[in-house]
Amino acid sequence: MKRIIAFIAGLIITYFHWIGLLFGGALLGIFSKDTKWALVYGFLFGLTVWILFAINLAMMGLISKYTAMGIIFYMSILIPVLISTLSVSIRGLL
Amino acid sequence: MTSLKDGIFSNRKKVFSAVLLMFLALFVILAYNYINLFAPFSGSIWKFSDGSARVKNPYGWAEVYYDDYGVPHIVAENEKALYYAVGYVQAKDRLFQMDLHRRLMKGQLSEVFGEDLVDSDIFHMEMDFYGAAEASWKAFEKTEFGSLIQAYCDGVNYYIGHSELPMEFKLLSYKPEEWKPADVMLVGKEISWGLTGDFYDLQRSIIAEKLGVEALELYPSHLNHTYPIIRTNKVDKALLDWLRPFEAKEGVGSNNWIISGKYTKDGSPILANDPHLALTVPPVWYEMHLKTDDLDVRGVTFPGVPAIIIGQNEYVAWGVTNVGADVIDFYYYIMDGDKYLYKSEWRDVIKETKKLKVKTDKGIEERDITVRKTIHGPLIEKNGKMIGVAWTGLTATREFLAIYKYNHAKNMDDFIEGLKYFDVPAQNLVYIDKYGNTMYYPAGKFPIRYIDGEVVPGNIIFNGSAGEGEWEGFIPYGTSTWEGFIPFEEIPHLINPDYVATANQRVVFDYQYYLGDSMYFADPYRGMRIYEMIDEAVEKEKKIDAEFIMEMQRDIYSKPAEFFVSQIIEAYDKISEKGKPYADELKSWDYRMDKDSKAALVFTLWLRHYLNETFGDEFYSAGLDKSYYPKVWVLQNLDRNSKWFDDIKTQQIENRDDIIARAMDKAVDEIEKKGYRVYGDYSKLRMNHPFGLEFLNYPDLPASGSPFTVFNFRTDGTPFQTGSSWRMIATFNGSYCVIPGGNSGNYFSEHYNDQIEMWVNGEYKPMSFEVQGEKSLIFEVER
């Protein structure tokens, strides 16, 4: 339950600011039972953010323009996945 | 033992976590700007203005409706409210383009793009185009259009201050300065320079110096005047090489024509216009429809300018092509340090130091640039060589007042009143009205030059110290009185002609004043073809309608092909066995520059090699590249045994047939090496955004047409392409238009390039006066 709340809270914050990726990832790390699962949840969280973002652009009719953006397109995938996955490592310090 | 193991394991985990967190911190620090730009949802690049909005307007209410092609239909309660909305809307759709052009003309590109553009900035600062724009605004401020320009700027600035900036600003990390009335004038200076800022006089001097005065037979004057002296050693080739990237570009030109009701299906006149300018992303033109109780006008303008430059209203329609007249002169001086001799008197060069900001790895670097001026205008210096420049645009000019009057004209008299203010760039203006009138008037300021009291042509470099070739009444960077220019009434023009076609060809035979020599005027092929088509229709008593005019604008028949192919066939026996199958393609060709034609491919590459094989030996030996070659028309008319056909690098004497055969071999080699199959493999529309990011470019498309066809498209393998930057057919029973690209400069807009395929296929959309589309922007009265 805690992980679901963390996941949703992270998504909501990420909608407004990318700090939500750090926040969501960190909470998922804290509420995971071990590091391996924490990394999986963090990765899935980042991936979910990106998928929702891509769906949002698709609904606006912009998906082909988005995928044509080259390095910017790849950066927009890398940023959520990397930040949220790495953020879970906070659990190791607790 | 177990607890020790756990402890070690726990410490390892901590170290591992700490390493990952350090890596995360490093990523966030290094990629901070990119994260702010590209993070999903919150990244600033994903935010753009393309929806509806309510905006405060200090001048009154206005509403903006965007139609199916992103054309704004702006309706307002008064003109100030209208122009405020126009400013906002143009900023919304084209702000980066507006700022980029302002930076170019003010010499501020290197502040954003770095060292590569320093030379461009130095040139534009030395010419002080902005000083001329400020002079224009000073003279303009108190006119009826002045307060409207201010309202327009307020609209632009409201957008800059309150709305989402285009993505280019975010990627470059800067915010545009506020838009000032002088910036509007500066856009006019840029367009004018792009059409008339030619260094042909300097080029002519260099050609005479390097190839001998006899080479000037390749650049004939259309005047009988035989003023013989092309002075040499006054201009250094290195100076000219430095200047040439900044002059008006090759291929810039236009077509327009009018046909009176006498020959049309519905008995009312028809007007066609397609200006051939650089094909850019976004397009150079911005289409809009402006409406108040007293005004209903639609057409195109340059982003940064609030009024319609080419278009129509309820009563009149108008179109322009470039006259191409010589409105720029160059002067040399006897110098002594910072003084120059002028009419037996030593004068100080006026000097002003300006700061050039350059983006470098270490941040913004400031460099001092000295701007020098003489009594004639700016003094351009490179490698110790100096040349004075007088250009009609470097003074207060009133073309925007003219355009404002065009927008409001209700009849020919109103329109002619506006024409009187059209100072620069001199334009072949064609006009029709709903009462059935037609008109052709090449409006503009054409200087008259004198030496020792005698009128002389302007295609030489004048002795500025002796006061030669001066323009009476011209005050650079001030308000000119223009008395030394061809009086408006004496400019050759036609009132109510049955039909007239302009395609940048020579204006008139045997005119008493010099307008320009053959370097200034275009090859006559397009003009010939347009007249040929109209003549034929008139002869056959065909009743002309908009459909017929569309066919004309789509015409890809090549007049040079018609002339040159007969020369190729005459030389057929000299063509190699390898070249003959390719020459055979030309025998049954219909001379149409169709993208699917193999013959058009062969002809195009052959002509390029033919020019090169004819002139390359002499010109390149003299250090002159292909940009100095004479016009195609001159080549076409060279005698079969002209000395220019002889290759100076061989023992034997070559004639035209030898060179035709040699050019065919070269063309075949190129076709086979590059794997071209048809013309469209070579003739490709490549419209690239100035930013260099591939996704911002328009799609590459094979294109029919050539520089010499009415359906105009010029490519020579360089990124700079020109073509019909706006096609318009105006009638009073339905008008049509298309632009090469889209009306919006915003990448995420559906109107970013929604007209590009229509344009390349020669299709049109209606240019309706009905207010169409959804209400997107509401401007409310500020309380």
Side-chain angles (χ1 to χ4, degrees):
Chain A
M1 189 62 185
K2 282 179 184 169
R3 286 197 296 269
I4 292 171
I5 291 169
F7 204 97
I8 292 169
L11 284 178
I12 292 169
I13 297 170
T14 301
Y15 184 80
F16 297 101
H17 196 279
W18 59 264
I19 205 97
L21 296 167
L22 289 170
F23 180 78
L27 285 185
L28 285 168
I30 292 164
F31 298 137
S32 295
K33 59 183 178 187
D34 60 35
T35 304
K36 196 175 88 182
W37 278 106
L39 287 168
V40 171
Y41 290 138
F43 175 80
L44 287 176
F45 173 63
L47 196 64
T48 306
V49 167
W50 176 73
I51 289 169
L52 289 174
F53 175 64
I55 290 171
N56 180 47
L57 289 177
M59 285 165 66
M60 293 162 73
L62 297 174
I63 195 71
S64 59
K65 284 189 177 247
Y66 169 54
T67 54
M69 290 176 81
I71 187 76
I72 295 175
F73 169 69
Y74 298 117
M75 287 290 288
S76 73
I77 302 172
L78 179 75
I79 288 166
V81 171
L82 193 69
I83 291 179
S84 57
T85 306
L86 293 178
S87 298
V88 302
S89 53
I90 190 81
R91 80 182 304 282
L93 299 182
L94 299 175
Chain B
M1 191 67 186
T2 308
S3 70
L4 180 64
K5 204 174 163 185
D6 283 351
I8 291 168
F9 186 65
S10 170
N11 280 340
R12 273 188 186 169
K13 254 172 53 179
K14 280 189 177 164
V15 170
F16 179 63
S17 296
V19 169
L20 288 183
L21 282 174
M22 279 170 64
F23 184 69
L24 172 64
L26 197 67
F27 176 72
V28 170
I29 290 165
L30 292 178
Y32 184 76
N33 287 337
Y34 296 116
I35 295 169
N36 279 320
L37 278 168
F38 308 134
F41 295 114
S42 65
S44 60
I45 204 164
W46 314 117
K47 294 173 183 150
F48 54 95
S49 279
D50 212 30
S52 56
R54 285 180 176 271
V55 181
K56 297 284 180 207
N57 186 340
Y59 301 105
W61 68 262
E63 292 169 350
V64 179
Y65 302 75
Y66 277 100
D67 70 16
D68 291 345
Y69 290 96
V71 177
H73 298 252
I74 308 172
V75 186
E77 73 170 292
N78 60 56
E79 267 196 281
K80 278 192 183 170
L82 179 80
Y83 283 104
Y84 184 88
V86 170
Y88 184 93
V89 163
Q90 284 192 5
K92 176 175 167 290
D93 290 335
R94 298 289 188 92
L95 185 59
F96 180 70
Q97 184 184 25
M98 288 161 64
D99 190 59
L100 194 67
H101 287 263
R102 176 171 61 174
R103 284 187 172 277
L104 168 75
M105 293 305 282
K106 286 177 90 169
Q108 296 179 336
L109 286 174
S110 46
E111 184 180 0
V112 175
F113 296 101
E115 194 73 43
D116 288 352
L117 293 163
V118 164
D119 274 353
S120 168
D121 284 348
I122 291 174
F123 171 77
H124 288 91
M125 287 170 98
E126 286 189 351
M127 288 293 289
D128 194 13
F129 291 110
Y130 199 68
E134 285 179 316
S136 287
W137 172 241
K138 208 172 156 191
F140 206 85
E141 201 174 353
K142 301 281 185 282
T143 68
E144 55 197 313
F145 196 34
S147 60
L148 301 179
I149 297 262
Q150 187 58 62
Y152 167 82
C153 293
D154 292 345
V156 174
N157 293 329
Y158 186 88
Y159 184 88
I160 292 172
H162 295 84
S163 305
E164 205 59 51
L165 292 176
M167 75 157 70
E168 291 92 336
F169 290 109
K170 294 167 183 170
L171 291 168
L172 289 167
S173 305
Y174 83 93
K175 189 177 173 181
E177 285 174 13
E178 70 171 29
W179 198 259
K180 297 188 183 109
D183 299 334
V184 175
M185 306 290 128
L186 191 64
V187 176
K189 301 292 178 195
E190 183 192 2
I191 300 306
S192 302
W193 180 255
L195 291 169
T196 61
D198 298 299
F199 299 130
Y200 294 142
D201 302 350
L202 304 181
Q203 217 178 320
R204 193 177 162 83
S205 172
I206 289 284
I207 289 164
E209 183 184 321
K210 303 278 184 187
L211 290 171
V213 175
E214 66 275 12
L216 295 181
E217 70 175 356
L218 299 172
Y219 311 88
S221 165
H222 69 280
L223 293 174
N224 292 329
H225 205 292
T226 52
Y227 191 79
I229 304 165
I230 298 302
R231 290 151 177 170
T232 58
N233 296 318
K234 300 304 174 198
V235 54
D236 176 56
K237 185 166 178 296
L239 169 64
L240 182 55
D241 287 346
W242 183 77
L243 286 172
R244 295 203 66 197
F246 314 118
E247 73 175 327
K249 303 285 188 228
E250 191 66 23
V252 166
S254 311
N255 301 325
N256 67 17
W257 62 92
I258 44 173
I259 299 171
S260 81
K262 194 171 160 185
Y263 300 114
T264 61
K265 198 180 249 178
D266 67 1
S268 63
I270 295 185
L271 180 149
N273 190 196
D274 60 302
H276 310 155
L277 300 176
L279 296 172
T280 60
V281 178
V284 293
W285 296 104
Y286 181 73
E287 190 184 356
M288 54 188 193
H289 174 202
L290 313 180
K291 192 170 165 64
T292 65
D293 286 345
D294 303 319
L295 180 75
D296 192 1
V297 59
R298 180 168 178 172
V300 282
T301 187
F302 295 111
V305 176
I308 298 294
I309 295 175
I310 298 173
Q312 77 176 116
N313 64 26
E314 194 187 340
Y315 306 96
V316 308
W318 69 97
V320 296
T321 67
N322 194 27
V323 173
D326 181 357
V327 294
I328 184 167
D329 280 337
F330 302 90
Y331 303 86
Y332 65 89
Y333 304 93
I334 298 164
M335 305 284 300
D336 181 11
D338 287 337
K339 291 181 183 296
Y340 67 103
L341 191 64
Y342 178 67
K343 293 183 179 172
S344 311
E345 178 192 320
W346 287 100
R347 292 197 175 195
D348 288 327
V349 171
I350 301 161
K351 286 167 77 175
E352 186 188 353
T353 303
K354 294 194 174 183
K355 296 279 181 204
L356 170 66
K357 290 182 181 172
V358 184
K359 184 180 173 185
T360 68
D361 294 341
K362 293 168 194 160
I364 298 291
E365 193 179 292
E366 285 200 349
R367 298 176 195 171
D368 286 343
I369 302 295
T370 306
V371 177
R372 300 174 178 85
K373 290 172 187 168
T374 69
I375 192 164
H376 300 110
L379 194 60
I380 303 295
E381 184 267 335
K382 190 76 182 171
N383 304 331
K385 289 274 182 180
M386 292 194 189
I387 197 93
V389 184
W391 174 56
T392 48
L394 289 178
T395 187
T397 55
R398 305 161 296 175
E399 51 280 356
F400 288 129
L401 189 56
I403 288 162
Y404 175 73
K405 287 180 183 288
Y406 300 169
N407 283 214
H408 284 266
K410 290 187 165 68
N411 53 48
M412 195 189 281
D413 287 343
D414 289 353
F415 206 88
I416 290 176
E417 192 51 38
L419 278 174
K420 291 176 183 167
Y421 292 98
F422 204 89
D423 298 330
V424 65
Q427 295 289 288
N428 289 307
L429 196 130
V430 290
Y431 162 99
I432 59 172
D433 65 32
K434 67 184 291 190
Y435 313 107
N437 294 304
T438 57
M439 176 173 64
Y440 160 65
Y441 218 123
K445 296 297 182 199
F446 303 96
I448 306 170
R449 297 87 168 170
Y450 297 88
I451 295 180
D452 297 332
E454 255 192 71
V455 176
V456 295
N459 57 358
I460 57 171
I461 303 169
F462 292 105
N463 182 345
S465 290
E468 288 180 356
E470 291 183 333
W471 305 347
E472 200 185 335
F474 179 77
I475 301 166
Y477 308 102
T479 303
S480 298
T481 49
W482 304 109
E483 56 265 36
F485 292 72
I486 300 176
F488 179 76
E489 293 73 18
E490 289 182 30
I491 297 171
H493 60 277
L494 299 166
I495 302 291
N496 282 320
D498 283 347
Y499 54 90
V500 66
T502 90
N504 319 109
Q505 74 272 45
R506 185 197 312 170
V507 174
V508 67
F509 287 106
D510 299 327
Y511 184 48
Q512 59 177 314
Y513 297 111
Y514 161 88
L515 292 177
D517 64 21
S518 63
M519 292 179 92
Y520 286 88
F521 296 108
D523 279 317
Y525 302 115
R526 284 180 285 114
M528 288 167 83
R529 179 63 183 156
I530 296 166
Y531 269 123
E532 191 174 81
M533 286 189 281
I534 303 174
D535 288 343
E536 194 185 325
V538 167
E539 228 167 75
K540 290 182 178 166
E541 295 184 357
K542 179 182 171 59
K543 286 298 177 189
I544 291 166
D545 58 8
E547 276 297 324
F548 179 78
I549 304 295
M550 286 180 194
E551 285 303 318
M552 287 181 71
Q553 284 194 333
R554 281 194 281 260
D555 183 74
I556 51 174
Y557 183 91
S558 170
K559 290 300 284 185
E562 180 189 311
F563 297 124
F564 280 111
V565 167
S566 62
Q567 294 183 3
I568 295 171
I569 291 168
E570 281 174 34
Y572 189 79
D573 289 344
K574 288 212 171 172
I575 293 173
S576 69
E577 289 311 308
K578 179 176 72 170
K580 276 189 172 131
Y582 289 85
D584 289 340
E585 291 280 341
L586 301 176
K587 285 182 177 171
S588 55
W589 184 33
D590 59 3
Y591 309 128
R592 290 167 52 78
M593 303 301 291
D594 192 300
K595 60 181 188 248
D596 297 320
S597 162
K598 185 172 181 185
L601 170 71
V602 174
F603 174 72
T604 301
L605 298 188
W606 170 83
L607 181 58
R608 185 152 56 73
H609 286 293
Y610 185 44
L611 266 163
N612 215 30
E613 292 303 315
T614 305
F615 299 116
D617 48 341
E618 291 90 352
F619 279 66
Y620 276 92
S621 303
L624 305 176
D625 65 21
K626 63 182 180 181
S627 65
Y628 288 81
Y629 290 172
K631 292 260 175 2
V632 170
W633 179 259
V634 172
L635 174 61
Q636 179 199 314
N637 289 291
L638 280 183
D639 182 78
R640 182 188 293 269
N641 295 311
S642 164
K643 67 170 187 164
W644 297 102
F645 288 122
D646 178 40
D647 184 345
I648 59 172
K649 292 176 288 180
T650 63
Q651 294 283 326
Q652 69 269 31
I653 306 284
E654 286 84 4
N655 65 12
R656 188 177 75 192
D657 293 352
D658 298 313
I659 299 303
I660 285 174
R662 195 195 284 181
M664 187 60 75
D665 278 347
K666 296 258 180 183
V668 170
D669 287 347
E670 185 176 350
I671 288 168
E672 291 180 353
K673 188 176 164 199
K674 296 198 171 156
Y676 294 143
R677 294 167 301 107
V678 290
Y679 183 52
D681 294 339
Y682 167 81
S683 177
K684 266 210 174 97
L685 180 68
R686 286 196 179 91
M687 293 176 67
N688 295 345
H689 189 281
F691 221 70
L693 286 173
E694 203 178 320
F695 69 91
L696 292 172
N697 301 340
Y698 290 169
D700 290 355
L701 295 167
S704 299
S706 83
F708 307 112
T709 57
V710 178
F711 189 82
N712 195 265
F713 174 59
R714 174 187 288 260
T715 180
D716 61 359
T718 67
F720 182 78
Q721 299 187 325
T722 58
S724 305
S725 58
W726 161 248
R727 289 194 196 106
M728 178 181 82
I729 295 166
T731 77
F732 294 97
N733 299 310
S735 299
Y736 303 89
C737 63
V738 69
I739 55 170
N743 219 34
S744 174
N746 297 322
Y747 173 69
F748 289 118
S749 166
E750 61 182 311
H751 307 297
Y752 185 67
N753 58 9
D754 56 346
Q755 295 180 56
I756 192 67
E757 293 206 11
M758 288 170 64
W759 180 87
V760 85
N761 294 326
E763 294 163 358
Y764 296 82
K765 64 187 180 63
M767 195 171 97
S768 165
F769 279 80
E770 189 189 326
V771 173
Q772 295 172 325
E774 278 183 35
K775 195 190 288 182
S776 297
L777 298 167
I778 299 169
F779 291 83
E780 298 167 322
V781 185
E782 200 169 37
R783 296 190 195 285

